[in-house]
């Protein structure tokens, strides 16, 4: 498959264009050759973050393309110097294209990060959660857990890099309704309360989330930004395999 | 002392007005009576966050005023309902004034949060660090530590609520130059590199800080948002004691 | 009825959400308890303005809620001090919720302020008037009056607090088509001309309206900001009575 | 004198350039010939408002220039049609230049509108009042009046077009400190309280000023927008007389 | 026909209102009398630019109205002095109304400027080109030309004021697909590449267009801003003739 | 010299930092290695535009750095794809750093583009011209020319790529005062009139400049965007030679 077609397939699946006005990330092909139609893609690497570490591994593995959740361009690259040079240069020098999907991948009801957590928890009656402009970037659904069970399930199944899952146990012991925004989802705490959720599952916290959860009597689970956001790129990896690509997932946990 | 005078003294010390254009927080008297000159203040409580928990304790202790780092108004209170009602109502019903100092308190070279960390580490040749518009909200200085020593010193002296201090040990083993922005200071990583620091000490992390530190070969210590921001309000407590007030510090660690 | 239900009913009737982007006023429940579902509302007071005077009367009367046209939050309350403290504190201390409806109430074709004037004048073939973004905040309609009759009708029927109705008699003696924007409606003079109105009825004037009316040969009646804006809240009072509430209207004319 | 020189003299006296960023009005020469240096100005008319009525009178009187406080361009003239055509066409057809001074004339400590009121009241220890960005657009000063005396003095000396002076007598009976913003000055009520004024004198009111004055226990006098703003243009008329011009003041009270 | 009706007919044909948010030009009647319904229009002049030269010729010819592509108000006329006075004064003094159509006229698929070039080139399968917000301001279509033929056709048929047509011959020798944005269209080069055009025809260039065309291997023809924009006003002239007007086209080429 | 020092020297000479708020161009080092201090620069190429053509020549010549007036980042590079990839990739692959100076180089009174034209014309009593925020981006000065002489001097001395110099001869035959803004300077025509210039010299025109020059009776010379902007980079080349570098100027005229 050529790079233009790969890009087009992902953009179609993820509705990349619908997120142009609400995502600072330049989603889609972010670093790539002059003429994507002339570049054949056989080997595709996947990672959560585009960083020196993951880019180097992609290069060593011989990737034609690297697909990530967190890319390099957030509102435009002012200068290709320092950090940006360090990351862009090896991509260019080794002919590795970079494809990025940030909020479109958070949002997707089957392929997305929140969908991955929902699958892991076996949630039913799933609906979109986490309003961001006209879109949603998370998921909500129903199950039956004690608070301890939910925490342990996350801790067991997610690779938190040894940091574990932190829980603010301010809500009910029995959890039926779970709201999920992966990564940095503390700002959707109020929406979780509004929809009647018993627990909010997210990645990293913010100072304010402690008291807000305490006062709203909501259980909050902080399972790690990295740990909650490997699902989406792994889904994209499966798609690539279906399309006949040779793939690899580059695991570079941040512990955050 | 009446409330108007207390407010004036803190505003003068902290240069509250100089931060009006760069701080979303409405610093100074944030909740208070119609006529602050007619209200006598004898008992003053201090806390990091204005939240239901700390406000309740202040009320129980019989505070005339509560002084905090994180207040309630960040760009204006849209409605006095829900969370805002929960926090504002007990202040009003119990005649407790709320005084807030966010960035002015981070910034202060003797009273501030970063200054408190710098004191704890015994840094010398101290200078402002952490540019924010025309001001600085952190500190930098020099000492002699191994990386392990610095991490242990922070872990021993700070009350991290059992979370410990997390270190990204990407920089040199010997640390001489330390840059500090308390709370959420990951965005000043590049400035730390620019000034030649060997380590950045801050409170909470963000996903991106891992790779940025790794690539910049900088040591980063995440010592907790709460744990790094008790110094400023404790300094204000000392001032109040000097002025003859009865004071208390309400410790409500968030573990974040 | 509990407060949450009362709020919901008013919001539904008035299409509160549709005005969120065009009204600086935070319409809906503006000051209210943590859990509106647990608060029973039996006694509801109504007033044009939320001010110390009307709030005190509502408290004395034993109101559970006060419903007003002009509330307290116009783009966010920066600090609960001074004037805002004076108005918010008695609401909180006496458990009086504050419900606000500004432009939604101006706009409503049956319940609204302009609709009330149109009823008073017996206008027929009524249509929306007074464009504001995608909405209209006034009314227009047809009748048969001499200019003197229209002025006297307004003066007799409205309680202008002794200020009377001021008329700029630059238009035709016979008035058939009347445009109405209550309160401060001088900015809709051009639209009144465009729709072919013979007269514009509004509340308070602005310096520019004299010459604009003179040059456009339009009759303009300034009947008082307060006097033209009691209709809406009185309509909401009728609704509350229908719902079984005990109600009162607190008349606090400003003479403006 | 040629028109360029007249314009330059007024701009210098009034510091026109200093108000460019804070005044929507395009101050200075607003309608005028291609080459102001070639136009001799001998007869200059003065009025508060540039409107059909005053422009016609200026034309009939044979004015070479008309000097006003309220001009035609507030943020740019979108089209020279309708009202703007009606006002601009006779200026052009009769070779009458239009010079405008809005906030610069409100502000001037000797020539300005507020200064004129202060003179009328015989205020001493005068200082600027009415902050607007880096400038002030009013005056404050001290005298000795009962509230009744002050109201009567304004009513007797100002030509309010029969509307009289309205007073909100919420402040002290004895007035020593008076703050003045002519025209529409209700938004400076809080600053009047902050500087310790006993009364605010302005032109037109706004609905909110009643309750704000009542709660702040401030006397407010509404003496008419037109009536309080004839002083500035009359001062400019005196200057023109000093410079040897033939002048006239076109009195067109709006009653507002 | 009266002026109001003429204005209405053009506005309807050109969908003037649909361009209000994307065009800095105040399209429609831009300079005109107080009451357009009372003004009879018999003689209409047409020109590309409203300037002293074209306005003088319109006056000499005895025009009741002048219809142009480039008018006088681009975001509002700050002052009617200098250049604006020079252009507006003769319109007013000689009762010549000014009607303007900028982007609506560029855009129109039959009457417009790009449509005129497409007609001249005999393009088939024509579609809109040149996205600007929700509208298009150019045309694209198919034909069969060598590059030389296309250049010569433009040079022969357009009146470039002796400047000729400049071609950047970086694209294929055989041209089938032509994209057109008249006037200053260099910013649509990328869209021309995206739609697969072999050549972009526009009026004036910008420094950047040389290298962008060279790298994109696109033929670009710069045929003159004036020369490519006479079509639209000539189409409006034909309409006026159909409506029984006496018309003239004032040719004032800028050579740009 | 290492790249960091070269960058610093140019930034100091050109006051790069002073233009950060008024220039869309990211001036200074725009594409460069991770650690500029470790990169030795011996061979520096200079060009007006950073484009595929000039970058290829710089690479072939073996440049360590390329210094240009028009760079690649104007408000941020959204994606390193297509045109940006084409230009950035060969810089990175061949270790050529890109240094950019846009308005700082236009502005410089000795090294700048306008200064180069002023030197060529032998202007005296030179002063800054062409206000842009707090800076000037052109020059003005005095000489003695007939209009023909000035046009011929420009045509003879500038390499206009065969396009010649276009003159709008609307001003006086004898030219004493010349205003210069190189590149696209038509927007400074009014300032040229205001300072009393007899001629404006710039690079490329805009449609409006014809009539504006005609009405202002100003001579305007369009000498080509490229042709008027080679001076600045040639000055920087001289500096580099003084610093011991091997240099080359890559001439790639656009004819615009």
């Amino acid at each position: 498959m050529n790079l233009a077609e790969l890009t087009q397939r992902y953009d179609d699946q993820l509705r990349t264009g619908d997120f142009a006005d609400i995502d600072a990330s330049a989603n889609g092909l972010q670093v790539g050759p002059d003429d994507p139609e002339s570049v054949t893609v056989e080997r595709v690497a996947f990672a959560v973050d585009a960083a020196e570490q993951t880019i180097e591994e992609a290069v060593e593995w011989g990737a034609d393309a690297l697909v990530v959740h967190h890319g390099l361009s957030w509102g435009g690259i002012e200068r290709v110097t320092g950090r940006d040079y360090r990351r862009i240069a090896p991509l260019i020098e080794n002919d590795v294209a970079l494809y990025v999907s940030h909020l479109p991948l958070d949002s997707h009801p089957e392929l997305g990060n929140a969908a991955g957590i929902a699958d892991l928890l076996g949630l039913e009656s799933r609906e979109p959660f986490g309003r961001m402009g006209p879109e949603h970037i998370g998921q909500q659904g129903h199950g039956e857990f004690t608070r301890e069970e939910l925490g342990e399930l996350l801790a067991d199944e997610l690779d938190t890099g040894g940091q574990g899952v932190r829980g603010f146990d301010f809500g009910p012991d029995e959890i039926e309704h779970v709201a999920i925004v992966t990564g940095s989802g503390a700002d959707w705490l109020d929406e979780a309360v509004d929809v009647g959720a018993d627990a909010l599952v997210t990645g990293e916290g913010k100072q304010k989330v402690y008291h807000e959860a305490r006062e709203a009597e909501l259980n909050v689970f902080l399972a790690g930004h990295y740990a909650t956001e490997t699902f989406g790129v792994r889904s994209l990896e499966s798609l690539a395999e279906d399309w006949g690509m040779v793939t690899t997932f580059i695991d570079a946990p941040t512990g955050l």
Side-chain angles (χ1 to χ4, degrees), chain A:
Chain A
M1 193 182 301
N2 69 48
L3 179 60
E5 187 178 346
L6 182 71
T7 295
Q8 191 62 51
R9 286 192 186 189
Y10 277 145
D11 284 350
D12 290 347
Q13 284 270 2
L14 294 162
R15 298 188 299 114
T16 300
D18 294 348
F19 292 79
D21 288 342
I22 60 170
D23 198 349
S25 168
N27 296 308
L29 190 63
Q30 205 171 91
V31 180
D34 185 13
D35 183 3
E37 293 181 11
S38 68
V39 174
T40 301
V41 181
E42 293 176 351
R43 296 172 69 83
V44 188
F46 294 82
V48 174
D49 302 296
E52 200 179 9
Q53 180 182 8
T54 54
I55 290 166
E56 279 176 3
E57 289 194 34
V59 167
E60 281 170 28
W61 181 74
D64 300 311
L66 172 62
V67 174
V68 299
H69 182 51
H70 299 128
L72 306 177
S73 173
W74 301 89
I77 298 166
E78 182 74 2
R79 298 161 192 278
V80 186
T81 57
R83 179 182 307 125
D84 286 310
Y85 187 92
R86 251 186 331 257
R87 294 172 175 181
I88 291 171
L91 291 170
I92 288 176
E93 288 168 344
N94 297 284
D95 295 323
V96 182
L98 180 70
Y99 182 91
V100 176
S101 189
H102 182 233
L103 296 186
L105 191 52
D106 284 321
S107 174
H108 197 282
E110 284 99 35
L111 305 173
N113 287 317
I117 302 277
D119 288 348
L120 182 155
L121 299 178
L123 299 187
E124 300 185 344
S125 311
R126 286 158 55 170
E127 290 180 47
F129 174 80
R131 278 191 302 272
M132 189 144 185
E135 301 287 345
H136 288 79
I137 59 166
Q139 290 273 304
Q140 59 183 309
H142 293 265
E144 282 189 29
F145 316 87
T146 63
R147 189 171 50 216
E148 286 66 32
E149 287 168 355
L150 183 50
E152 281 169 20
L153 191 50
L154 291 167
D156 290 351
E157 299 293 332
L158 297 178
D159 178 7
T160 63
Q163 295 298 322
V165 171
R166 302 190 47 198
F168 295 113
D169 54 355
F170 298 122
D173 289 340
E174 303 292 324
I175 292 171
E176 293 186 0
H177 187 166
V178 180
I180 307 165
V181 171
T182 60
S184 182
D187 291 335
W188 284 270
L189 185 146
D190 285 345
E191 187 180 337
V193 175
D194 287 348
V195 301
D198 303 309
L200 170 68
V201 176
T202 187
E204 59 182 49
K206 289 186 185 180
Q207 164 74 351
K208 67 175 183 174
V209 83
Y210 174 87
H211 287 292
E212 289 182 2
R214 190 178 179 280
E215 297 175 21
E217 296 180 4
L218 182 73
N219 294 301
V220 173
F221 294 91
L222 305 179
H225 196 130
Y226 182 87
T228 59
E229 299 209 320
T230 60
F231 297 93
V233 285
R234 285 188 185 276
S235 298
L236 298 185
E237 185 181 11
S238 293
L239 282 179
E241 285 169 2
D242 294 346
W243 300 334
M245 307 279 157
V246 180
T247 72
T248 188
F249 177 74
I250 299 169
D251 193 28
T254 61
L256 288 163

